[in-house]
């Protein structure tokens, strides 16, 4: 009997183990969608950045079809289609040619190696000199810094190049590749062989940048988007550099699950960077002025997922900075408090939404299946936005909970902006104020000290320098930005 009981208990344990294994397998089959890593390839509708060898950065929208006559991306006064970029991995090098943006195989760089052009020319010279000689060729050594040739006899009179500009345009119109044009210009230059090795490399690079342009396709992140917009027009970003943006995210102590209050006029760069940092966990209360947020186009460049995009909650500036004396309160009930009519209407909607009779009649009048799919896709997106859009009453309820961080990067007065926002910040939580000028932050610093509102106050600026690292030519870049703005950081004290 004891053996039978033991056997039965063992069978029960096996069944329990099988159930546990099944439960674990089911949990593995349903991973957290917020933890999914972004794909390593370009999807249709994604935005990418094309970084050229000369420092230019151009935003491109990768779509297979578009509206209008012009293609999505414009490079050197010409438009190019981006349909062939869909499906390519990030980091792919593209060559700009007559046929469009041509992807190159792995291992290629945005700037072709000048030695690939120099070595065939040197081999031809050695072959001509060694004709009739039975001596084996000497071992080739690494190029030395000490050069035999110099540039003292070179005269810049535009007569050394035999190929004229019209001839180059004829070659390009005939479909000749950029590398062949560069080789032809080197062969027809009468002063190329008299240059030093450094001068030869610079000459080849200059011609490659003009006749053989290449670019690298880079993912849109907070750093890359900020750097691209800074090169395009830094005044619209208040001279906000990517290193300053990284310090703002670090000093604000933003992590998953936080609720951040943001006031910015930097085209939405800070809001998009916070959405990527949170990863869909938490809320970003972004304050805007006007009838609607004006940063939608910039937010789309970050390629945010639905949870990341849904974490951005737009709050009107009147809900934060205005007093309650002139606000009209909605009707209330005795049991449920404030009646949110927009929320009630949203909860009445059901998903999936069934088509109404007039919608079916309108679809029946469409001639092609493609038009019907586009119409239904737009209608689906509209209902999705309506189901996920919050109401002003919900925004006021979120503001009642103390925020974990406050970030300000606006053109307004820092003191007049920060002081009304401090009541929304929880005690012992950080705040960051960015300004492109030092004097307004100095006044804010003194006011916070006078009222004893914060501790660990720091007023700092960032200084970044780019270096050129080449053999025998390592030095700082000749052009660099003066400063990336100033930061005022601190931790709020208990009132």
């Amino acid at each position: 009997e004891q053996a039978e009981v033991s056997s039965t208990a063992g069978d029960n344990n096996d069944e329990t183990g099988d159930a546990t294994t099944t439960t674990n397998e089911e949990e593995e089959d349903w991973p957290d969608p917020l933890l999914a890593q972004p794909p390593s390839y370009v999807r249709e509708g994604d935005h990418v950045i094309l970084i050229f060898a000369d420092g230019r950065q151009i935003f491109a929208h990768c779509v297979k079809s578009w509206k209008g006559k012009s293609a999505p991306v414009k490079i050197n006064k010409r438009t190019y289609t981006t349909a062939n970029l869909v499906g390519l991995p990030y980091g792919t090098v593209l060559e700009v040619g007559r046929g469009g943006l041509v992807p190159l195989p792995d291992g290629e760089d945005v700037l072709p190696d000048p030695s690939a052009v120099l070595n065939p020319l040197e081999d031809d010279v050695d072959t001509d000199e060694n004709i009739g000689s039975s001596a084996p060729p000497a071992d080739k050594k690494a190029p030395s810094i000490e050069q035999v040739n110099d540039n003292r006899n070179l005269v810049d009179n535009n007569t050394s190049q035999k190929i004229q500009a019209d001839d180059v345009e004829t070659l390009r119109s005939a479909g000749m590749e950029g590398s062949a044009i560069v080789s032809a210009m080197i062969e027809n230059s009468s002063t190329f062989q008299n240059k030093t090795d450094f001068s030869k490399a610079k000459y080849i690079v200059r011609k490659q940048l003009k006749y053989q342009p290449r670019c690298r396709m880079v993912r849109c992140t907070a750093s890359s988007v900020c750097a691209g917009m800074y090169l395009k027009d830094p005044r619209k970003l208040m001279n906000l550099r990517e290193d300053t943006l990284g310090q703002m995210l670090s000093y604000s102590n933003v992590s998953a699950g936080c609720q951040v209050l943001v006031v910015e006029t930097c085209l939405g760069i800070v809001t998009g960077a916070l959405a990527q940092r949170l990863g869909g966990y938490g809320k970003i209360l972004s304050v805007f002025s006007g009838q609607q947020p004006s940063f939608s186009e910039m937010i789309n460049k970050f390629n945010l997922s639905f949870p990341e995009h849904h974490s951005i909650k737009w709050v009107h500036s009147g809900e934060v900075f205005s007093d309650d004396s002139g606000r009209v309160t909605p009707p209330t009930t005795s049991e449920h408090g404030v009646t949110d009519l927009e929320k009630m209407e949203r909860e009445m909607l059901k998903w999936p939404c069934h088509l109404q009779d007039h919608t079916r009649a309108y679809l029946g009048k469409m001639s092609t299946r493609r038009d019907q799919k586009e119409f239904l896709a737009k209608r689906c997106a509209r209902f999705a936005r309506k189901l996920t859009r919050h109401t002003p009453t919900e925004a006021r309820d979120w503001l009642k909970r103390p925020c974990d961080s406050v970030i300000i990067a606006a053109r307004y007065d820092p003191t007049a902006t920060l002081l009304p926002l401090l009541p929304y910040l929880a005690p012992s939580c950080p705040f960051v104020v960015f300004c492109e000028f030092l004097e307004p932050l100095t006044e804010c610093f003194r006011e916070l000290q006078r009222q004893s509102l914060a501790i660990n106050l720091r007023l700092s600026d960032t200084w970044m320098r780019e270096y050129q690292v080449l053999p025998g030519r390592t030095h700082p870049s000749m052009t660099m930005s003066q400063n990336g703005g100033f930061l005022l950081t601190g931790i709020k004290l208990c009132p």
Side-chain angles (χ1 to χ4, degrees):
E1 294 179 354
Q2 293 179 354
E4 291 179 357
V5 171
S6 301
S7 177
T8 305
D11 294 341
N12 293 334
N13 291 334
D14 293 341
E15 292 177 358
T16 306
D18 295 340
T20 305
T21 305
T22 305
T23 305
N24 295 334
E25 290 179 355
E26 291 178 355
E27 292 179 356
E28 293 178 357
D29 294 340
W30 296 95
D32 190 350
L34 300 181
L35 298 179
Q37 295 294 328
S40 59
Y41 59 89
V42 180
R43 299 167 298 183
E44 185 175 3
D46 286 354
H47 291 79
V48 298
I49 301 179
L50 304 180
I51 300 180
F52 289 80
D54 55 358
R56 291 179 300 161
Q57 297 188 16
I58 299 177
F59 288 90
H61 190 199
C62 300
V63 291
K64 294 184 179 180
S65 61
W66 61 91
K67 292 183 179 180
K69 297 181 180 179
S70 60
V73 61
K74 185 176 182 180
I75 303 173
N76 295 335
K77 299 181 180 180
R78 291 190 58 187
T79 57
Y80 297 89
T81 178
T82 56
N84 61 325
L85 304 184
V86 178
L88 294 179
Y90 285 103
T92 303
V93 178
L94 310 173
E95 184 163 337
V96 182
R98 289 281 177 176
L101 301 176
V102 182
L104 300 179
D106 296 340
E108 294 289 341
D109 200 356
V110 290
L111 193 62
D113 189 7
S115 61
V117 182
L118 284 173
N119 291 337
L121 297 176
E122 294 176 356
D123 294 341
D124 295 341
V125 173
D126 295 341
T127 304
D128 295 339
E129 292 178 355
N130 294 333
I131 292 178
S133 175
S134 59
D139 296 337
K140 295 183 179 181
K141 299 180 180 180
S144 176
I145 298 179
E146 299 180 359
Q147 301 292 327
V148 178
N149 298 333
D150 54 32
N151 301 332
R152 71 181 69 180
N153 297 324
L154 298 181
V155 180
D156 189 8
N157 53 8
N158 294 330
T159 59
S160 60
Q161 182 58 250
K162 299 178 182 178
I163 298 180
Q164 303 299 325
D166 297 338
D167 300 334
V168 174
E169 291 298 330
T170 303
L171 295 176
R172 299 180 71 175
S173 301
M176 181 177 288
E177 297 182 355
S179 57
I181 295 177
V182 173
S183 301
M185 297 194 71
I186 294 175
E187 293 175 359
N188 288 273
S189 177
S190 59
T191 59
F192 181 79
Q193 297 299 334
N194 298 328
K195 297 177 181 289
T196 63
D197 291 346
F198 292 154
S199 298
K200 290 179 181 179
K202 291 174 65 176
Y203 179 86
I204 294 174
V205 169
R206 189 165 60 250
K207 298 303 178 183
Q208 287 174 342
L209 291 176
K210 186 175 182 180
Y211 301 107
Q212 196 178 359
R214 291 183 178 182
C215 60
R216 187 182 300 276
M217 189 170 53
V218 180
R219 185 194 304 271
C220 285
T221 60
S223 177
S224 60
V225 172
C226 185
M229 293 302 299
Y230 184 85
L231 291 176
K232 186 177 180 180
D233 194 351
R235 293 177 296 180
K236 292 184 178 180
L237 297 182
M238 300 171 54
N239 293 315
L240 177 64
R241 283 200 314 247
E242 61 272 17
D243 58 320
T244 308
L245 178 62
Q247 289 196 3
M248 293 173 62
L249 298 179
S250 178
Y251 283 128
S252 59
N253 196 23
V254 176
S255 59
C258 294
Q259 178 172 306
V260 189
L261 183 60
V262 186
V263 180
E264 66 154 324
T265 57
C266 300
L267 301 180
I269 294 288
V270 181
T271 303
L274 289 171
Q276 282 192 341
R277 174 63 67 91
L278 293 181
Y281 295 95
K283 293 184 180 65
I284 304 170
L285 306 181
S286 185
V287 180
F288 71 97
S289 58
Q291 295 183 353
Q292 60 184 2
S294 58
F295 305 145
S296 301
E297 183 179 356
M298 180 57 63
I299 296 297
N300 293 333
K301 294 184 183 297
F302 284 85
N303 302 327
L304 300 177
S305 61
F306 180 80
E308 293 173 346
H309 202 284
H310 186 59
S311 64
I312 302 175
K313 310 297 182 181
W314 300 103
V315 181
H316 196 270
S317 58
E319 302 290 343
V320 180
F321 295 102
S322 65
D323 52 353
D324 297 334
S325 59
R327 178 179 299 172
V328 178
T329 58
T332 59
T333 59
S334 58
E335 296 181 357
H336 303 285
V338 178
T339 302
D340 193 349
L341 300 180
E342 295 184 13
K343 184 178 180 181
M344 293 175 58
E345 182 182 357
R346 184 185 64 192
E347 292 177 351
M348 290 175 62
L349 294 176
K350 296 181 180 180
W351 188 263
C353 301
H354 298 285
L355 293 178
Q356 309 243 346
D357 296 337
H358 63 276
T359 306
R360 294 182 183 275
Y362 182 75
L363 286 173
K365 297 179 182 179
M366 294 184 178
S367 57
T368 60
R369 186 73 172 175
R370 179 179 178 182
D371 296 339
Q372 294 179 353
K373 289 183 178 180
E374 292 180 355
F375 174 78
L376 292 177
K378 291 181 180 179
R379 195 168 184 82
C380 179
R382 176 189 172 190
F383 276 96
R385 290 193 300 267
K386 196 169 183 178
L387 286 171
T388 57
R389 184 170 55 216
H390 62 275
T391 63
T393 305
E394 291 177 328
R396 285 192 290 268
D397 294 340
W398 292 328
L399 289 173
K400 293 178 181 178
R401 177 207 164 187
C403 297
D404 301 313
S405 179
V406 169
I407 300 177
I408 300 175
R411 302 183 186 275
Y412 316 127
D413 183 17
T415 305
T417 306
L418 177 62
L419 295 182
L421 295 181
L422 284 180
Y424 298 99
L425 181 64
S428 302
C429 289
F431 61 87
V432 180
V433 184
F434 169 79
C435 185
E436 55 183 333
F437 305 109
L438 179 63
E439 289 76 11
L441 292 182
T442 304
E443 297 178 1
C444 185
F445 185 95
R446 293 175 179 174
E447 186 65 22
L448 292 173
Q449 277 188 333
R450 187 182 67 84
Q451 299 186 20
S452 300
L453 296 176
I455 60 172
N456 197 20
L457 291 173
R458 294 182 180 180
L459 182 57
S460 60
D461 65 334
T462 58
W463 190 74
M464 182 180 65
R465 166 172 281 184
E466 183 180 359
Y467 278 79
Q468 170 186 295
V469 181
L470 291 173
R473 292 164 288 171
T474 300
H475 59 78
S477 298
M478 297 302 157
T479 57
M480 57 175 290
S481 59
Q482 182 180 4
N483 70 336
F486 301 89
L487 290 177
L488 174 62
T489 61
I491 298 177
K492 179 187 173 182
L493 288 175
C494 293

